[in-house]
Amino acid sequence: MITHTHRPLRVVLYEGNGSIQLPAEARAKTMMALLDKGYTVTRSGQGASAMPHDDRSLLVLGAFEGKAPALEDATGRISIDTRDITGLEPDAIVALVDKSRGDKTMNEPGKWKPWFPVIDYSRCTNCMQCLSFCLFDVYGVSEDNKIQVQNNDNCKTNCPACSRVCPEVAIMFPKYQAGPINGDEINEKEAGREKIKVDISSLLGGDIYSALKDRSAAAKSRFSKERSPDKALDERKKCLTKLVGDGFIPADVLASLPSTEEILKKAEIAKAKAAAALAGR
Amino acid sequence: MRTAPPAATLTATFFKRALLSSPATILYCRCAYAQVVPTGVKNDVLQKLCDSSASFETVSDLCEMAAHRDPRLSAIAACGKLRIAACYPRAVKGLFEQAGSPLPADAEILNMRTQTAQEIADALLKADP
Ligand code: SF4
Ligand code: SF4
């Protein structure tokens, strides 16, 4: 799981008592530019309230007419910087924020795409098919035996393949273009179409990728524990090649497949994890 | 033209406002890490929020925050009444839940991928009953 968060600042555009309001267009332009750089911005306006503060430093921007007040957190926990932005153009305000941040690291758009499965637990039946399917250890099981996305940074960018094996259409990728994978509502017709019924025990020892290719009952009978590992790998690759050809998954997923040995080992581990979780329910 | 008040008054005003529970907290997601929300709609929604006098919170990308289990998601989920402009409600709810900060059941999620900017702004800024 990615746990590092670099959030040095909460920028507050202060337009309450004691500061002059920015023109609406300049305000929007400034906020857009800051957000597109990865900052979070609170607009503190008249009348309503913003979110409670957290443990980040505050950078309070306001048109204080050249007299930005010196502020101090009453609890002494949070540092508060104030900057006067009277007469500044949006670009200059963004430059001022960058300068105030200094060399503190911040997560920034453009360097990485947040791509990982999101489980809709209102639909998930904890069948563990996704756990068995994913070759990159994205899924795991929680202490209370529930399927979980545990290593979302292992997920292959732009590959939504696991969403297709979920029989309940419970796996979403919010950054995907089309529904229902992007989180769009599911109609029953769609749910039926998306369901891929597989025999979980043969699936755990065999080749679930075939299920994506051939969804008929006849195809299911082809799952067999007796198949040679080489043949299973061959079929998996063929199927993945087709999915790449269809534009459903990116080509680099094929290139990053583990070795036959690793695949079989992973299948064993997934089988044990799934069996333990299902037995413990 | 108003003049700036003394520091103590400003501190008190900011924190009093920040800590008081509001009728509804407005949150806007910019979807900046991979633009799946139409640019025109997200710009218009932000412009309309900026045209109003409302206070609101904006984040660069809720998906990125969920990927990092950002603790601010818990702060957002604990805000009480929430109105969120982002994308599909099922996805937004799932992101918060997966990050360990489920949204309250009555959180209102407006979808910038399918709704118009006007519809969204009206819902975000509507007066509370
Ligand atoms: S395949 Fe779908 S229903 Fe089964 S455990 Fe995974 S998310 Fe849940
Ligand atoms: S929650 Fe939706 S709108 Fe926000 S960043 Fe993710 S995909 Fe984009």
Side-chain angles (χ1 to χ4, degrees), chain A residues 8 15 20 29 32 35 69 76 128 143 145 152 166 178 195 205 219 225 231 237 270 279:
Chain A
E15 296 187 292
I20 302 152
K29 239 178 134 182
M32 282 174 202
L35 288 166
M128 301 286 156
E143 275 176 15
N145 295 314
N152 51 26
C166 173
K195 278 182 190 177
K225 283 178 189 162
K231 199 175 165 207
K237 280 185 178 160

mmCIF file of all heavy atoms in Angstrom, chain A residues 8 15 20 29 32 35 69 76 128 143 145 152 166 178 195 205 219 225 231 237 270 279:
data_model
loop_
_atom_site.group_PDB
_atom_site.id
_atom_site.type_symbol
_atom_site.label_atom_id
_atom_site.label_comp_id
_atom_site.label_asym_id
_atom_site.label_seq_id
_atom_site.Cartn_x
_atom_site.Cartn_y
_atom_site.Cartn_z
ATOM 1 N N PRO A 8 2.502 19.340 2.475
ATOM 2 C CA PRO A 8 3.100 20.305 3.382
ATOM 3 C C PRO A 8 2.170 21.440 3.791
ATOM 4 O O PRO A 8 2.378 22.049 4.823
ATOM 5 C CB PRO A 8 4.290 20.836 2.588
ATOM 6 C CG PRO A 8 3.959 20.583 1.163
ATOM 7 C CD PRO A 8 3.051 19.410 1.123
ATOM 8 N N GLU A 15 -11.174 35.240 2.573
ATOM 9 C CA GLU A 15 -11.922 36.397 2.067
ATOM 10 C C GLU A 15 -12.975 36.816 3.080
ATOM 11 O O GLU A 15 -14.032 37.327 2.729
ATOM 12 C CB GLU A 15 -12.554 36.074 0.719
ATOM 13 C CG GLU A 15 -11.502 35.803 -0.347
ATOM 14 C CD GLU A 15 -12.096 35.641 -1.728
ATOM 15 O OE1 GLU A 15 -12.797 34.641 -1.925
ATOM 16 O OE2 GLU A 15 -11.887 36.501 -2.575
ATOM 17 N N ILE A 20 -10.057 41.955 1.564
ATOM 18 C CA ILE A 20 -10.904 42.386 0.446
ATOM 19 C C ILE A 20 -11.101 41.204 -0.489
ATOM 20 O O ILE A 20 -10.163 40.445 -0.735
ATOM 21 C CB ILE A 20 -10.207 43.537 -0.318
ATOM 22 C CG1 ILE A 20 -9.927 44.690 0.649
ATOM 23 C CG2 ILE A 20 -11.040 44.015 -1.490
ATOM 24 C CD1 ILE A 20 -8.739 45.503 0.234
ATOM 25 N N LYS A 29 -9.395 31.425 -11.274
ATOM 26 C CA LYS A 29 -8.143 31.154 -12.002
ATOM 27 C C LYS A 29 -7.040 30.715 -11.034
ATOM 28 O O LYS A 29 -6.293 29.775 -11.297
ATOM 29 C CB LYS A 29 -7.690 32.418 -12.739
ATOM 30 C CG LYS A 29 -7.565 32.229 -14.233
ATOM 31 C CD LYS A 29 -7.174 33.508 -14.902
ATOM 32 C CE LYS A 29 -6.051 33.226 -15.912
ATOM 33 N NZ LYS A 29 -5.592 34.434 -16.571
ATOM 34 N N MET A 32 -7.864 27.163 -9.695
ATOM 35 C CA MET A 32 -7.615 26.131 -10.719
ATOM 36 C C MET A 32 -6.120 25.860 -10.837
ATOM 37 O O MET A 32 -5.686 24.703 -10.873
ATOM 38 C CB MET A 32 -8.150 26.588 -12.087
ATOM 39 C CG MET A 32 -9.647 26.463 -12.234
ATOM 40 S SD MET A 32 -10.187 27.185 -13.793
ATOM 41 C CE MET A 32 -11.910 27.512 -13.432
ATOM 42 N N LEU A 35 -4.830 23.949 -7.751
ATOM 43 C CA LEU A 35 -5.306 22.556 -7.743
ATOM 44 C C LEU A 35 -4.585 21.726 -8.798
ATOM 45 O O LEU A 35 -4.217 20.576 -8.548
ATOM 46 C CB LEU A 35 -6.814 22.512 -7.997
ATOM 47 C CG LEU A 35 -7.699 22.998 -6.852
ATOM 48 C CD1 LEU A 35 -9.122 23.236 -7.329
ATOM 49 C CD2 LEU A 35 -7.691 21.991 -5.710
ATOM 50 N N PRO A 69 -1.616 39.975 8.648
ATOM 51 C CA PRO A 69 -1.435 39.874 10.095
ATOM 52 C C PRO A 69 -0.590 38.670 10.492
ATOM 53 O O PRO A 69 -0.612 37.656 9.805
ATOM 54 C CB PRO A 69 -2.872 39.712 10.610
ATOM 55 C CG PRO A 69 -3.615 39.114 9.469
ATOM 56 C CD PRO A 69 -2.965 39.593 8.213
ATOM 57 N N GLY A 76 -0.776 25.937 19.563
ATOM 58 C CA GLY A 76 0.667 25.841 19.341
ATOM 59 C C GLY A 76 1.071 24.670 18.461
ATOM 60 O O GLY A 76 2.254 24.407 18.274
ATOM 61 N N MET A 128 -13.808 -14.141 -3.615
ATOM 62 C CA MET A 128 -12.340 -14.278 -3.715
ATOM 63 C C MET A 128 -11.839 -14.523 -5.147
ATOM 64 O O MET A 128 -10.680 -14.859 -5.340
ATOM 65 C CB MET A 128 -11.797 -15.393 -2.797
ATOM 66 C CG MET A 128 -12.104 -15.209 -1.347
ATOM 67 S SD MET A 128 -11.077 -13.894 -0.648
ATOM 68 C CE MET A 128 -12.083 -13.402 0.747
ATOM 69 N N GLU A 143 -8.196 -9.026 8.342
ATOM 70 C CA GLU A 143 -8.216 -9.891 9.529
ATOM 71 C C GLU A 143 -9.576 -10.547 9.729
ATOM 72 O O GLU A 143 -9.680 -11.645 10.253
ATOM 73 C CB GLU A 143 -7.858 -9.066 10.766
ATOM 74 C CG GLU A 143 -6.361 -8.966 10.941
ATOM 75 C CD GLU A 143 -5.950 -8.084 12.084
ATOM 76 O OE1 GLU A 143 -6.814 -7.753 12.929
ATOM 77 O OE2 GLU A 143 -4.767 -7.729 12.110
ATOM 78 N N ASN A 145 -11.416 -11.654 7.400
ATOM 79 C CA ASN A 145 -11.647 -12.500 6.229
ATOM 80 C C ASN A 145 -12.408 -11.829 5.086
ATOM 81 O O ASN A 145 -13.119 -12.484 4.338
ATOM 82 C CB ASN A 145 -12.377 -13.805 6.622
ATOM 83 C CG ASN A 145 -11.520 -14.656 7.517
ATOM 84 O OD1 ASN A 145 -10.338 -14.845 7.245
ATOM 85 N ND2 ASN A 145 -12.099 -15.147 8.602
ATOM 86 N N ASN A 152 -2.287 -1.409 -3.759
ATOM 87 C CA ASN A 152 -2.808 -0.757 -4.966
ATOM 88 C C ASN A 152 -1.704 -0.207 -5.873
ATOM 89 O O ASN A 152 -1.902 -0.025 -7.059
ATOM 90 C CB ASN A 152 -3.875 0.295 -4.651
ATOM 91 C CG ASN A 152 -3.448 1.282 -3.618
ATOM 92 O OD1 ASN A 152 -2.253 1.520 -3.455
ATOM 93 N ND2 ASN A 152 -4.395 1.854 -2.899
ATOM 94 N N CYS A 166 -15.035 -10.278 -11.872
ATOM 95 C CA CYS A 166 -15.901 -10.192 -10.693
ATOM 96 C C CYS A 166 -17.334 -10.535 -11.089
ATOM 97 O O CYS A 166 -17.943 -9.846 -11.898
ATOM 98 C CB CYS A 166 -15.840 -8.793 -10.096
ATOM 99 S SG CYS A 166 -17.043 -8.592 -8.762
ATOM 100 N N ALA A 178 -15.199 3.986 -19.388
ATOM 101 C CA ALA A 178 -16.569 3.507 -19.602
ATOM 102 C C ALA A 178 -17.191 2.875 -18.360
ATOM 103 O O ALA A 178 -16.489 2.420 -17.459
ATOM 104 C CB ALA A 178 -16.559 2.500 -20.747
ATOM 105 N N LYS A 195 -21.155 -11.049 -15.709
ATOM 106 C CA LYS A 195 -20.850 -12.186 -14.837
ATOM 107 C C LYS A 195 -20.139 -13.304 -15.585
ATOM 108 O O LYS A 195 -20.552 -13.713 -16.651
ATOM 109 C CB LYS A 195 -22.132 -12.731 -14.204
ATOM 110 C CG LYS A 195 -22.544 -11.939 -12.997
ATOM 111 C CD LYS A 195 -23.771 -12.525 -12.356
ATOM 112 C CE LYS A 195 -24.289 -11.569 -11.294
ATOM 113 N NZ LYS A 195 -25.504 -12.015 -10.679
ATOM 114 N N GLY A 205 -6.513 -23.579 -9.502
ATOM 115 C CA GLY A 205 -5.368 -24.354 -9.961
ATOM 116 C C GLY A 205 -5.135 -24.189 -11.447
ATOM 117 O O GLY A 205 -4.206 -24.745 -12.008
ATOM 118 N N ALA A 219 -16.365 -23.821 -22.531
ATOM 119 C CA ALA A 219 -15.040 -23.277 -22.227
ATOM 120 C C ALA A 219 -14.652 -23.604 -20.803
ATOM 121 O O ALA A 219 -13.496 -23.899 -20.517
ATOM 122 C CB ALA A 219 -15.033 -21.776 -22.446
ATOM 123 N N LYS A 225 -7.000 -29.224 -13.807
ATOM 124 C CA LYS A 225 -5.780 -29.223 -12.995
ATOM 125 C C LYS A 225 -4.672 -30.014 -13.667
ATOM 126 O O LYS A 225 -3.512 -29.880 -13.337
ATOM 127 C CB LYS A 225 -6.080 -29.819 -11.627
ATOM 128 C CG LYS A 225 -6.811 -28.857 -10.723
ATOM 129 C CD LYS A 225 -7.120 -29.517 -9.413
ATOM 130 C CE LYS A 225 -8.044 -28.633 -8.598
ATOM 131 N NZ LYS A 225 -8.718 -29.336 -7.542
ATOM 132 N N LYS A 231 1.215 -25.257 -20.861
ATOM 133 C CA LYS A 231 0.014 -25.024 -21.660
ATOM 134 C C LYS A 231 -0.849 -23.930 -21.012
ATOM 135 O O LYS A 231 -1.395 -23.073 -21.689
ATOM 136 C CB LYS A 231 -0.778 -26.330 -21.792
ATOM 137 C CG LYS A 231 -1.752 -26.263 -22.947
ATOM 138 C CD LYS A 231 -2.441 -27.585 -23.165
ATOM 139 C CE LYS A 231 -3.646 -27.383 -24.067
ATOM 140 N NZ LYS A 231 -4.670 -28.369 -23.825
ATOM 141 N N LYS A 237 -1.328 -16.388 -21.927
ATOM 142 C CA LYS A 237 -0.683 -15.378 -22.781
ATOM 143 C C LYS A 237 -1.524 -15.094 -24.015
ATOM 144 O O LYS A 237 -1.680 -13.955 -24.427
ATOM 145 C CB LYS A 237 0.725 -15.828 -23.158
ATOM 146 C CG LYS A 237 1.719 -15.553 -22.030
ATOM 147 C CD LYS A 237 3.128 -15.879 -22.449
ATOM 148 C CE LYS A 237 4.096 -15.533 -21.314
ATOM 149 N NZ LYS A 237 5.356 -16.228 -21.443
ATOM 150 N N ALA A 270 -2.715 -17.970 -3.417
ATOM 151 C CA ALA A 270 -4.060 -17.380 -3.501
ATOM 152 C C ALA A 270 -5.108 -18.402 -3.090
ATOM 153 O O ALA A 270 -6.067 -18.090 -2.376
ATOM 154 C CB ALA A 270 -4.325 -16.880 -4.916
ATOM 155 N N ALA A 279 -13.330 -20.352 4.659
ATOM 156 C CA ALA A 279 -13.615 -21.255 5.782
ATOM 157 C C ALA A 279 -13.864 -20.468 7.061
ATOM 158 O O ALA A 279 -14.647 -20.886 7.917
ATOM 159 C CB ALA A 279 -12.440 -22.206 5.993
#
